[in-house]
Amino acid sequence: MAEPFHCDFSGRLFMGHLGNHLLNAADFHSSARGFGMKYLMGIQRSWVLSRLAIEMDEMPEQYTHFTVETWVENAMRYFTSRNFRIIGEDTEDKEDTEDLESSSSSPSSASSSSSPKVYGYGRSIWAMIDTVTRQPTDIFSIDNGAINDWIVADKECPIAKGGRVRMGSEAELVHTIDTYYNDVDINGHINSVKYIEHVLDLWPIDWYREHWLKRFEIAYVAEAHGGDQLSFYREPAADGSFNVRIVKTGDIEVARAAVTFMSRG
Amino acid sequence: MAEPFHCDFSGRLFMGHLGNHLLNAADFHSSARGFGMKYLMGIQRSWVLSRLAIEMDEMPEQYTHFTVETWVENAMRYFTSRNFRIIGEDTEDKEDTEDLESSSSSPSSASSSSSPKVYGYGRSIWAMIDTVTRQPTDIFSIDNGAINDWIVADKECPIAKGGRVRMGSEAELVHTIDTYYNDVDINGHINSVKYIEHVLDLWPIDWYREHWLKRFEIAYVAEAHGGDQLSFYREPAADGSFNVRIVKTGDIEVARAAVTFMSRG
């Protein structure tokens, strides 16, 4: 559900919280197939998110129930691609408080025969690393390449793959921020979701009154740690979107993002 | 569930995310009884959180399932007090990945006959306001004082009520931060949960390696809006805890918090 405190001033789910739901879906899906973070921890392996792209036709409104589907599109030795589809339930009664209550307190009982509403799609690329050496490791070495059994090659994900975000020399330094306790995840690194939030905070709230976020794309280059300062450089791209480069203390690039807005109304 | 990306570097749920679960529990509980935010919106009323105190014996570990219970302790004309208890499921198999999977994909099937593990408790005070005049309104005017039917006076909540946080003149200015898009909730105000995060970010990560958070208490005094600068003043209290005063642009106090840490190990 799009929880009320996870929604922005316009009553729509924050992209950062949607990103968190996608990462959870990836973890639950891989855990159920013997590739989860928790299992990998025990054998000194971990999934590392390399790229994430999310493109939406619409963001779920507060109190709306939605489902994140995920599947493995492809696997190579050092990278695997995992896609997402964000779909709704039948929402024709969504203005009805009584209906909200019953769907909060019990699983959905009415199964609609029509196609679900599609909010949007996501694409992600993951590497597997050795948690001691921090080096990439062979994904196929886990359970004799069992990941190949889970590939779904024919499910459509009709959004562009993330490409290399090209930055010119004219990018403007918008913010430099300190990172703190709440930015750091269980690995001691800056939380992937926090980057999404920090990038979207580069635009003032008035900007969001006139625009909505169509697509967010990020490529993680290096890890940052709690206490690092992060600087955000932004420049407009030829197609009307914005490119953002994030560097940490010492001018080391940690991530690049591309953000596409649409005018409201 | 304590989602992995909602846990800190030590693998325990962030207090801010726990606070969010408590606020959701309050909303779901009041919605099911005809007092929810969504219903109140339609009649120009809204609940406003005035005080929140959370005191923990232990924070849930990542992937742990827990339940938030909530009940109305008392109701007066302009304020109501609502308490919380955070309890676990039977956790004896929690190291077992197979068990984790089955409990993720289906509701808990085994009901333990023993008492649940208690992680901690919460207390909150709420006012009801008119969303147009922003003035307090009579809680008993809703459905002929029906809230009185929901009072549970005899359920124990064995943590101290929040008191007035006294600040001396020696408080140190620790941070001044800008607020952005992601800080703002559906009412256009700085999100209650974000205050929790910003206060806890006053201590460096190394502090959290040596200490864990026992109790967090906050009293909301005035509303801040996106774009406001927030300054955080901190001073040690006589009992070993810390008091924090938050002021917005114009030196207007918006909240006071009290934070109690315990040494680890």
Side-chain angles (χ1 to χ4, degrees), chain A residues 166-187:
Chain A
R166 293 177 192 282
M167 300 287 299
S169 52
E170 301 299 309
E172 166 204 12
L173 172 60
V174 184
H175 287 167
T176 296
I177 62 166
D178 290 302
T179 56
Y180 298 113
Y181 168 65
N182 277 283
D183 289 305
V184 176
D185 69 12
I186 51 169
N187 298 311

Side-chain angles (χ1 to χ4, degrees), chain B residues 225-240:
Chain B
H225 298 83
D228 282 344
Q229 270 199 337
L230 298 178
S231 293
F232 295 79
Y233 294 86
R234 179 180 65 189
E235 68 179 10
D239 63 357

Side-chain angles (χ1 to χ4, degrees), chain A residues 1 3-17 20-21 23-24 27-28 31-34 36-39 41 62-63 94-97 100-101 104 126 175 177 179-188 191-194 196-198 200-205 208 225-227, chain B residues 1 3-17 20-21 23-24 27-28 31-34 36-39 41 62-63 94-97 100-101 104 126 175 177 179-188 191-194 196-198 200-205 208 225-227:
Chain A
M1 195 185 74
E3 299 179 9
F5 289 96
H6 287 175
C7 290
D8 72 5
F9 70 89
S10 76
R12 302 278 179 167
L13 187 65
F14 278 117
M15 180 61 89
H17 288 292
N20 181 60
H21 287 301
L23 299 185
N24 279 336
D27 191 28
F28 299 159
S31 291
R33 285 154 188 80
M37 289 280 196
K38 191 167 176 172
Y39 165 73
M41 256 188 277
Q62 61 167 332
Y63 295 111
K94 70 176 176 179
E95 294 304 314
D96 185 333
T97 303
L100 174 75
E101 287 176 29
S104 301
W126 302 75
H175 287 167
I177 62 166
T179 56
Y180 298 113
Y181 168 65
N182 277 283
D183 289 305
V184 176
D185 69 12
I186 51 169
N187 298 311
N191 184 326
S192 309
V193 166
K194 287 285 177 177
I196 301 176
E197 297 184 358
H198 290 316
L200 295 176
D201 280 344
L202 299 181
W203 285 268
I205 290 168
Y208 288 95
H225 298 81
Chain B
M1 194 185 77
E3 299 180 8
F5 288 95
H6 286 175
C7 290
D8 73 4
F9 70 90
S10 76
R12 303 280 179 165
L13 187 64
F14 278 117
M15 180 60 89
H17 288 292
N20 181 60
H21 287 299
L23 299 186
N24 280 335
D27 191 27
F28 298 158
S31 292
R33 284 154 189 80
M37 291 280 196
K38 193 168 174 171
Y39 166 72
M41 255 186 278
Q62 60 169 333
Y63 294 111
K94 71 177 176 178
E95 293 306 313
D96 185 333
T97 303
L100 174 75
E101 287 174 28
S104 301
W126 301 75
H175 286 165
I177 61 165
T179 56
Y180 299 113
Y181 168 66
N182 277 284
D183 289 306
V184 176
D185 69 12
I186 51 168
N187 299 310
N191 184 327
S192 309
V193 165
K194 286 286 177 177
I196 301 177
E197 297 183 359
H198 290 316
L200 295 177
D201 279 345
L202 299 180
W203 285 266
I205 290 167
Y208 289 95
H225 298 83

Side-chain angles (χ1 to χ4, degrees), chain A residues 241-258:
Chain A
S241 64
F242 294 90
N243 293 336
V244 175
R245 182 174 56 226
I246 310 168
V247 304
K248 66 177 176 181
T249 315
D251 207 28
I252 297 161
E253 182 169 309
V254 294
R256 288 190 181 197

